[in-house]
Amino acid sequence: MCVSVDGEAEVVLTAPLSFEAENESDSNYKAPHILKRILSLFASIRPGSDLTHIQLPPSFNLPKSQLQCYGESIYSVGFDMLGKCSNEETPLGRFVSVVSWSISTLRPLAFGVVPYNPILGETHHVSTRTLNVLLEQVAHHPPVTALHATDEKAGIELICCHHAVPKFYGAYIDTEVHGRRELKLHSRNETYTMNSPNLVIRLLPVPRVDWDGNVVIKCKETGLEAELRYRGNTFLPRPSVHRSVKGRIFRSSTSETICEINGHWDKTVKMTDVSTRKTTIIYDAAKAISKLKTPVLKDPKAVLPSESTVVWAEVSKAILQKRWEDAREAKTQIEERQRQSARARKMRNEKWNPKFFNLSHSDDNRIGWECSPIHPIVSPAPIIIDD
C-alpha cells in the first residue's frame, strides 16, 4: 500500500511476515531463477566470510527494511501476548507467558529474499493497541539496531539491541544474532532477559530458511530460568525436527526442572509439569502469527523523514511492481547518499549520535553492543495496527 505524505514523499506499507504471506500479492515479488542467482552471487566468496556489508541487488530483497522485520515481531501478533505476561497472577504463570511470547517473535522467512540493510539513523515507529514501538539503526559499521517499546496501561517496557553477523559457509549462511532483549513488567517489579536463536539460510541440498540455536530466558526476581533449543533440518527434511523447539523451565538456584517444553514454533508448543505430568498447550502459531494485519498510516504529518517506510518507499514500490532496474537505481541512490553523509562527517571530524538511544559496547562478547533509550516512554506512532 502506497500513501503520499505532504504530496511529496510516500509511505509504502506491506503485509507483515506470516504463514499466509506467500499467498498475498505483497509477497509475489521474487525475481525468476532465484537459486541460480544466489549460487552465482556467492561463487567468488570464501567460506567463513562476513557478509554484513555485501550489497545485494533488489531482486534479492523483501520490500521492507530489517527494522520493519524486527518491529513486526513485536507489534504484529494475533492477540495481546505481552499483556498476558503482566496479567498472570503467579510467577510461574508469568514466566510461561514470557516464554510463549518469546516463541512468537520467530517468523517464517522465504528462501532467496532478505530485507534491506537499514541506513544509519533510519527509524521505524508503529503502535498497536496501547503498545508503542520505536526502532532506530544506531550504528552502521557494525550494523546495530535498537528497539524500545512501552505500554503505560499494562506497565510493560521492552528494550532490545541486535547486532546480526551473517557468515558464508559454502552450503549455508549462518547469521549470529548478538545482543539481548530485556522485558520489564513494571507492575510486577520483574525483568526478563533473553537472547535470540541464529538464522540459518541453507542453499544445498534443499533450499530453506531455519531458526537454529539455544535461547536462555532468565528472571532474577522470581529465580526462574528457561533453556530452549531451536532446530531446523540439517541435510534432508525431517518433520520431527523441522522448526522444532525443546527445552525446560527450572529454578536457577537448584537447576530443578519444573516444566518440560516440546513442540514446533510454526504449529503448537506444549508444556508438561514434571510433578503432575499434566500437559498444556502454551503456544499456538495459528492464533499468534496468522492472519496478521497490514499497518495503516494514521497521521501523515507526524511521519519522520527517517521512517523506514519512507526511506525505502521508491525501492519497495518498484520491487512490488517488478520494475527491477528502477528498484536498482533507487536503492543505489539511497546507498550513495549514505556514503556521502559518512564522508562529510569524516571531513568535519564529526561523530554521529543516535536520536533516540544511547549506545555502548559490552565486555560480554555474547551481547556485544548495548542500547538504552533516551526517553522513558515511547509516544503513540503515526503508523498503527488498526483493530
Side-chain angles (χ1 to χ4, degrees), residues 16 74-81 126-132 151 153 287-288 290-298 383-387:
I74 306 302
Y75 61 70
S76 287
V77 66
F79 62 99
D80 187 8
M81 298 186 73
V126 177
S127 293
T128 177
R129 305 181 184 91
T130 54
L131 179 70
N132 304 316
D151 186 331
K153 183 178 180 181
K287 296 179 180 179
S290 293
K291 300 179 180 178
L292 302 178
K293 295 181 178 180
T294 301
V296 297
L297 183 60
K298 180 182 180 182
I383 299 173
I384 66 170
I385 305 292
D386 193 358
D387 286 336

Side-chain angles (χ1 to χ4, degrees), residues 83-97 185 187-188 190 192 222 224:
K84 190 173 187 298
C85 296
S86 183
N87 292 336
E88 289 287 344
E89 291 300 323
T90 67
L92 180 59
R94 291 192 293 276
F95 195 91
V96 171
S97 292
L185 305 182
S187 60
R188 304 290 185 175
E190 295 171 355
Y192 299 77
T222 62
L224 295 175

Side-chain angles (χ1 to χ4, degrees), residues 1 107 112 156 161 183 187 193 252 365:
M1 179 178 68
R107 303 299 165 95
I156 294 172
C161 194
L183 175 61
S187 60
T193 60
S252 301
N365 290 330

Side-chain angles (χ1 to χ4, degrees), residues 8-68:
E8 297 180 3
E10 282 188 311
V11 172
V12 175
L13 301 167
T14 56
L17 299 177
S18 67
F19 290 119
E20 299 88 1
E22 60 186 0
N23 298 319
E24 296 179 3
S25 60
D26 279 357
S27 300
N28 186 25
Y29 47 77
K30 286 187 185 179
H33 311 299
I34 195 71
L35 179 58
K36 182 179 179 181
R37 288 167 175 257
I38 290 174
L39 295 177
S40 175
L41 181 68
F42 293 113
S44 60
I45 298 177
R46 294 181 180 179
S49 297
D50 187 338
L51 304 180
T52 302
H53 301 297
I54 292 285
Q55 293 183 352
L56 296 173
S59 55
F60 292 100
N61 283 130
L62 290 162
K64 63 180 68 188
S65 169
Q66 182 65 66
L67 251 65
Q68 292 170 260

